[in-house]
Amino acid sequence: MPRRRLTVLAATLGLSALALTACSGGATSSASSDAGSEYDLVSGGTLTVATEGTYRPFSYHEGAGELTGFDVEIATAVADKLGLQVKFQETQWDAIFAGLDAGRFDVIANQVTINPERQEKYTFSAPYTVSRGVVVTNEDDNAISSFADLSGKTTAQSLTSNWYELATSSGAQVEAVEGWAQAVALLKQGRVDATVNDQLTYLDYEKTNSPTGLKIAAETEDTSESAFAFKKGQDALAEAVDTALEELRADGTLTQISEKYFGADVTQ
């Protein structure tokens, strides 16, 4: 075969190979961006998650490290189950629902409590955190074993919290404090008899500072449930997340993450 024809044939084969490579690369990129297309995501193939990043132990930075926390790990595990990448957008709480409304992210993962007012405006996943209100006392104090026992006792509470209302409605005299740390200090000093707060706050403190010399003396029957929040109409995504949560619950992942941060299973 003449040299000229060989040269032309080689060039033709080379162009064909380039064309096939280009088509293959385009197909891979398209497949990646098409992942989760049925969920109408903000960014194809990626679950975009809003979280505060300053809310320990749920969503925070350890020093100058990467974003971590209970909610962060659960959202990451859910995205993995759905075959999606995950991207976190750190957003102040005051602006987080406005950002969801504006379509800047797909979901909020930031201990969003389910309540009737929010249910009217947003779609929620199944809860992944369940908590109660608790009375915390020094562990050697057996005088309080119910909320009724708070009558005539002194508790340390933030005056702007729901726990203040629960303490006063139970008959307690309240010593005003700025937050949990100050309440615990007064309790350990014997200047108050108890403090009323969220079970998760106590468990986090106990996990981080054990032994604390404190105990849960009583807890409410009613529970508070937190879940992922979506815009209304994101039913396909919410249902897929529910399925992922169910699988993560069944394989023990939710329990494992919970025990890492709280020393107990607070996911059900």
Side-chain angles (χ1 to χ4, degrees):
M1 184 179 294
R3 182 182 299 276
R4 184 174 181 278
R5 291 187 61 188
L6 285 171
T7 303
V8 171
L9 179 59
T12 303
L13 290 172
L15 288 171
S16 298
L18 285 172
L20 287 171
T21 301
C23 289
S24 176
T28 301
S29 175
S30 175
S32 176
S33 63
D34 284 347
S37 58
E38 67 272 32
Y39 306 137
D40 190 24
L41 300 171
V42 171
S43 179
T46 299
L47 185 67
T48 305
V49 182
T51 193
E52 282 184 277
T54 56
Y55 187 18
R56 185 185 181 97
F58 305 104
S59 166
Y60 66 101
H61 293 267
E62 193 69 75
E66 294 183 358
L67 182 70
T68 188
F70 176 72
D71 287 52
V72 170
E73 289 202 25
I74 290 181
T76 301
V78 166
D80 186 60
K81 280 287 185 183
L82 298 181
L84 301 172
Q85 299 295 314
V86 63
K87 176 183 177 182
F88 292 96
Q89 288 195 11
E90 297 182 45
T91 307
Q92 291 183 349
W93 176 255
D94 291 346
I96 208 164
F97 283 99
L100 184 64
D101 294 337
R104 292 203 296 271
F105 26 78
D106 303 304
V107 60
I108 300 172
N110 202 84
Q111 283 298 294
V112 180
T113 303
I114 303 172
N115 61 39
E117 181 181 359
R118 288 176 180 158
Q119 285 178 309
E120 289 182 3
K121 297 184 62 177
Y122 302 98
T123 295
F124 283 90
S125 70
Y128 60 85
T129 312
V130 179
S131 185
R132 291 174 168 80
V134 294
V135 177
V136 178
T137 66
N138 288 303
E139 61 184 5
D140 59 355
D141 183 355
N142 296 315
I144 299 173
S145 59
S146 68
F147 278 84
D149 290 336
L150 291 177
S151 181
K153 301 292 195 301
T154 302
T155 69
Q157 310 294 149
S158 168
L159 300 184
T160 60
S161 73
N162 294 335
W163 309 119
Y164 165 77
E165 297 178 6
L166 182 55
T168 55
S169 66
S170 300
Q173 302 296 314
V174 170
E175 179 78 19
V177 294
E178 294 182 359
W180 169 257
Q182 192 175 356
V184 167
L186 293 182
L187 180 57
K188 288 185 173 183
Q189 293 164 10
R191 294 168 58 184
V192 298
D193 301 300
T195 183
V196 181
N197 213 295
D198 184 86
Q199 179 187 25
L200 299 181
T201 301
Y202 168 79
L203 290 175
D204 172 50
Y205 180 76
E206 189 72 29
K207 181 75 166 58
T208 306
N209 300 281
S210 184
T212 64
L214 304 178
K215 68 177 181 180
I216 292 177
E219 60 182 39
T220 60
E221 293 184 4
D222 294 335
T223 60
S224 172
E225 297 180 334
S226 297
F228 296 113
F230 311 86
K231 286 177 66 175
K232 283 289 188 183
Q234 285 284 65
D235 296 337
L237 180 57
E239 289 172 7
V241 168
D242 279 351
T243 299
L245 286 171
E246 185 177 343
E247 293 174 0
L248 292 167
R249 195 182 309 280
D251 68 19
T253 300
L254 293 187
T255 298
Q256 182 181 4
I257 295 172
S258 180
E259 289 181 346
K260 173 181 176 180
Y261 287 96
F262 299 105
D265 188 0
V266 300
T267 66
Q268 56 188 343

